[in-house]
């Protein structure tokens, strides 16, 4: 009896250990205000470095399931200071008390700055620490989930945010006009360029803070263009003192998550033949003998694994700053490379920035903010209804290999394989789609202090863009058949 009890206890301990090791751990807790002691409904709890998160209910309570035994939870709530709370395998309940943001915090509003306690408008601020806490291609992606009332959606999964990022502040205000917010960089309003993602032109390491003006009061400064809200970007500047050199490097890996399972060669032969018989058609000879198909092709080609890949992302940013009481400077150089999770796609960005400030005398101050960048994208067709490489990867039969034995591209033979569309790998390797964009953005200013509380500032800025779009489709067959005459070469150049 004792032996049986000991065995039962050991088995219970063993399976309990397996559940902890391979299952999920539940973390519960409650979030409340330090000032009032009231529970906070709608606070956000996110496992740092991931998209795994939850929110508090009306009682301020939450539950979060994690797959790791230790880590850090980031808790945020509008008007409160964000917190990072550590947990481990012994953590069962977290009692979190949040402090209000102090009124002395300075935010950028229109042509100047104010202390938060003096504001009567709706303003949200994101610091450089929050912006750089996760590796992102641009500042728009870094804002996701950090500002209440602001919806940020990537238009596509293209690397570098090149598909555009849709930003909406407090919803849609126009049916026929633009709904894009006004973006102001170091006091200079940028033009509304619709699908062009302006924010992917700047390295996130150059940004000091982002302030979002969300109500109609912003229109008193910028007029009609501010009707959809304003995003104020302030870049970093030099400070008096010793020369400071900062190097920020990160590297990561991305991959598509939970791709659908595809039919193997035998399953495809069975499904194809049964579908043709049900439609009153004769079966394809190549696919009639299921066992022969399995013997010849094994599991066959998983086209989604051919189209998708594990992709690297890396960023290097070097910043040098310093100066004296009279003059300060900041110089930064950045390099960003993101391979797309689609084979043969990538984005590369080089950016330079120089910010300077000179105090001419006690009343006059001059300065500049200048940035240069080059953006190169190698894209793939992932959107057209017939030649999207993702759709082709989903439809291509597993009984076709990417290439024939002689090195030519396989496929495209409907009578043999039951599939007449282009080979997905051909679509990725042969046509060339390259997009180059050069951007200059900068301003110079002079500021005169007339009275202690009254300053006059004149600013001249410019935003120039030059782009080249190169598309090249040579006359190369998508299959081993005869050469077809499909040649297209186009170049678009423009300054806007």
């Amino acid at each position: 009896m004792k032996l049986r009890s000991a065995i039962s206890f050991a088995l219970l301990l063993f399976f309990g250990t397996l559940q902890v090791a391979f299952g999920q751990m539940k973390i519960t807790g409650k979030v409340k205000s330090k000032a009032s002691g009231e529970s906070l409904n709608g606070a956000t709890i996110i496992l740092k470095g991931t998209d795994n998160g939850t929110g508090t209910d009306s009682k301020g309570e939450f539950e979060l399931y994690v797959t790791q035994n230790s880590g850090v939870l980031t808790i945020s709530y509008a008007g409160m200071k964000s917190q990072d709370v550590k947990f481990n395998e012994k953590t069962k309940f977290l009692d979190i008390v949040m402090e209000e943001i102090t009124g002395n915090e300075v935010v950028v509003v229109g042509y100047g700055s104010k202390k938060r306690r003096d504001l009567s408008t709706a303003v949200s601020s994101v610091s450089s620490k929050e912006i750089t806490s996760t590796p992102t291609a641009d500042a728009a992606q870094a804002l996701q989930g950090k500002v209440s009332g602001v919806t940020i959606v990537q238009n596509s999964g293209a690397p570098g945010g090149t598909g555009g990022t849709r930003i909406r502040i407090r919803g849609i205000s126009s049916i026929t006009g633009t709904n894009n917010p006004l973006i102001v960089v170091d006091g200079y309003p940028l033009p509304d360029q619709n699908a062009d993602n302006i924010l992917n032109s700047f390295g996130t390491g150059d940004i000091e803070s982002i302030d979002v003006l969300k109500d109609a009061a912003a229109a008193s400064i910028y007029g009609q263009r501010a009707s959809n809200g304003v995003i104020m970007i302030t870049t970093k500047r030099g400070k008096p003192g010793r020369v400071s050199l900062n190097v920020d490097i990160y590297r990561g890996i991305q991959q598509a998550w939970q791709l659908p399972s595809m039919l193997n060669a035998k399953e495809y032969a069975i499904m194809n033949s049964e579908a043709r018989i049900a439609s009153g058609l004769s079966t394809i000879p190549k696919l009639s003998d299921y066992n022969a198909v399995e013997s010849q092709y094994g599991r066959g080609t998983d086209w989604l694994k051919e189209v998708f890949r594990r992709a690297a992302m890396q960023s290097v940013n070097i910043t040098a700053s310093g100066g004296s009481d009279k003059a300060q400077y900041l110089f930064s150089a950045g390099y960003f490379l993101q391979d797309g999770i689609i084979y043969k796609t990538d984005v590369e960005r080089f950016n330079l920035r120089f910010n300077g400030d000179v105090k001419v005398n006690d009343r006059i101050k001059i300065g500049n903010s200048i940035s240069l960048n080059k953006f190169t994208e190698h894209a793939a067709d992932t959107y057209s209804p017939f030649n999207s490489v993702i759709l082709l990867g989903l439809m291509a039969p597993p009984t076709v290999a990417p290439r024939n034995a002689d090195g030519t591209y396989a496929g495209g033979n409907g009578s043999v394989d039951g599939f007449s569309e282009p080979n997905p790998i051909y679509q990725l390797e042969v046509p060339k789609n390259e997009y180059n964009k050069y951007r200059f953005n900068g301003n110079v200013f002079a500021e005169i202090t007339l009275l202690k509380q009254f300053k006059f500032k004149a600013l001249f800025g410019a935003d120039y863009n030059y782009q080249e779009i190169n598309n090249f489709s040579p006359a190369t067959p998508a299959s081993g058949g005869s050469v077809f005459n499909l040649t297209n070469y186009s170049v678009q150049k423009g300054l806007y």
Side-chain angles (χ1 to χ4, degrees), residues 230-402:
V230 182
I231 296 178
M232 310 282 297
I233 299 176
T234 304
T235 60
K236 295 178 179 178
R237 310 193 74 83
K239 298 178 181 179
R242 297 171 58 185
V243 176
S244 173
L245 181 65
N246 182 66
V247 180
D248 182 23
I249 301 174
Y250 71 76
R251 183 177 176 85
I253 298 293
Q254 312 160 92
Q255 64 182 29
W257 184 58
Q258 290 188 340
L259 290 173
S261 298
M262 307 299 291
L263 297 174
N264 61 34
K266 183 178 180 179
E267 291 169 341
Y268 171 76
I270 294 172
M271 294 290 290
N272 185 280
S273 298
E274 290 182 352
R276 293 181 70 89
I277 292 172
S279 301
L281 302 174
S282 59
T283 60
I284 296 175
K286 177 181 177 179
L287 306 176
S288 299
D289 188 339
Y290 311 144
N291 293 324
V293 169
E294 183 178 32
S295 176
Q296 180 178 357
Y297 298 103
R299 293 193 59 82
T301 303
D302 188 332
W303 283 100
L304 285 187
K305 289 186 177 179
E306 297 292 332
V307 170
F308 287 91
R309 65 177 177 177
R310 182 176 293 181
M313 178 174 66
Q314 58 184 324
S315 173
V316 180
N317 195 76
I318 302 174
T319 304
S321 63
S324 63
D325 293 336
K326 294 290 186 181
Q328 301 88 43
Y329 66 89
L330 180 142
F331 175 80
S332 71
Y335 174 75
F336 176 81
L337 175 63
Q338 182 178 13
D339 293 332
I341 58 175
I342 299 290
Y343 174 58
K344 287 289 184 179
T345 62
D346 63 72
V347 156
E348 186 178 45
R349 181 183 67 210
F350 297 90
N351 55 275
L352 297 172
R353 172 169 292 277
F354 177 72
N355 291 349
D357 298 283
V358 177
K359 188 175 181 181
V360 179
N361 53 44
D362 292 339
R363 291 183 175 273
I364 300 175
K365 177 183 176 181
I366 60 175
N368 69 271
S369 298
I370 296 174
S371 70
L372 299 166
N373 72 76
K374 177 190 176 185
F375 200 92
T376 302
E377 176 193 11
H378 295 101
D381 182 356
T382 59
Y383 44 83
S384 66
F386 299 106
N387 290 325
S388 163
V389 292
I390 298 177
L391 290 178
L392 293 176
L394 289 168
M395 295 187 296
T399 53
V400 176

Side-chain angles (χ1 to χ4, degrees), residues 18 188 196 279 313 323 329 445:
L18 283 181
Y188 179 71
D196 181 33
S279 301
M313 178 174 66
Y329 66 89
F445 69 87

Side-chain angles (χ1 to χ4, degrees), residues 12-294:
L12 181 62
L13 181 63
F14 174 73
F15 286 112
T17 304
L18 283 181
Q19 184 178 1
V20 173
F22 298 102
Q24 291 184 323
M25 184 175 75
K26 183 172 78 171
I27 301 175
T28 60
K30 187 172 184 177
V31 182
K32 58 185 179 182
S33 168
K34 181 178 180 180
S36 64
E38 296 179 352
S39 300
L40 297 179
N41 178 17
T44 302
I45 296 91
I46 297 178
L47 179 61
K48 196 166 187 177
T50 73
D51 294 326
N52 182 18
T54 186
T56 56
D57 57 19
S58 58
K59 297 180 180 179
E61 298 175 348
F62 68 90
E63 291 183 356
L64 181 64
Y65 290 87
V66 297
T67 57
Q68 58 195 62
N69 293 330
S70 63
V72 177
L73 298 179
T74 299
I75 296 90
S76 58
Y77 186 81
M80 300 287 183
K81 294 181 179 179
S82 297
Q83 289 188 32
D84 285 343
V85 179
K86 295 182 179 180
F87 69 89
N88 54 42
E89 68 276 3
K90 297 181 180 179
T91 303
K92 298 300 180 184
F93 187 85
L94 293 173
D95 192 4
I96 300 166
V97 179
M98 303 194 73
E99 297 181 7
E100 294 184 359
I101 296 175
T102 61
N104 290 325
E105 181 186 358
V106 176
V107 295
V108 177
V109 183
Y111 299 127
S113 59
K114 289 185 178 181
K115 291 183 179 180
R116 183 176 291 276
R117 67 185 178 194
D118 297 330
L119 290 174
S120 59
T121 59
V123 179
S124 293
S125 302
V126 181
S127 66
S128 61
K129 183 178 179 181
E130 293 176 285
I131 294 170
T132 58
S133 60
T134 55
T136 54
D138 61 63
Q141 296 177 24
L143 284 176
Q144 284 182 307
K146 293 183 173 67
V147 181
S148 61
V150 179
T151 303
I152 298 174
V153 179
Q154 287 183 252
N155 294 335
S156 77
T162 53
T165 302
R166 186 169 67 251
I167 305 175
R168 298 291 179 264
I169 299 177
R170 292 188 171 178
I172 296 174
S173 60
S174 174
I175 298 176
T176 58
T178 180
N179 287 287
N180 297 328
L182 173 65
I183 297 176
V184 180
V185 179
D186 287 336
Y188 179 71
L190 298 181
D192 181 6
Q193 295 174 22
N194 298 319
D196 181 33
N197 186 359
I198 295 175
L199 295 180
N200 69 4
S201 299
F202 306 98
T204 55
D206 291 340
I207 299 175
E208 180 68 28
S209 66
I210 299 178
D211 298 289
V212 182
L213 315 185
K214 295 182 285 187
D215 61 13
S220 64
I221 303 172
Y222 294 109
Q224 184 181 2
R225 292 187 62 194
S227 60
N228 298 315
V230 182
I231 296 178
M232 310 282 297
I233 299 176
T234 304
T235 60
K236 295 178 179 178
R237 310 193 74 83
K239 298 178 181 179
R242 297 171 58 185
V243 176
S244 173
L245 181 65
N246 182 66
V247 180
D248 182 23
I249 301 174
Y250 71 76
R251 183 177 176 85
I253 298 293
Q254 312 160 92
Q255 64 182 29
W257 184 58
Q258 290 188 340
L259 290 173
S261 298
M262 307 299 291
L263 297 174
N264 61 34
K266 183 178 180 179
E267 291 169 341
Y268 171 76
I270 294 172
M271 294 290 290
N272 185 280
S273 298
E274 290 182 352
R276 293 181 70 89
I277 292 172
S279 301
L281 302 174
S282 59
T283 60
I284 296 175
K286 177 181 177 179
L287 306 176
S288 299
D289 188 339
Y290 311 144
N291 293 324
V293 169
E294 183 178 32

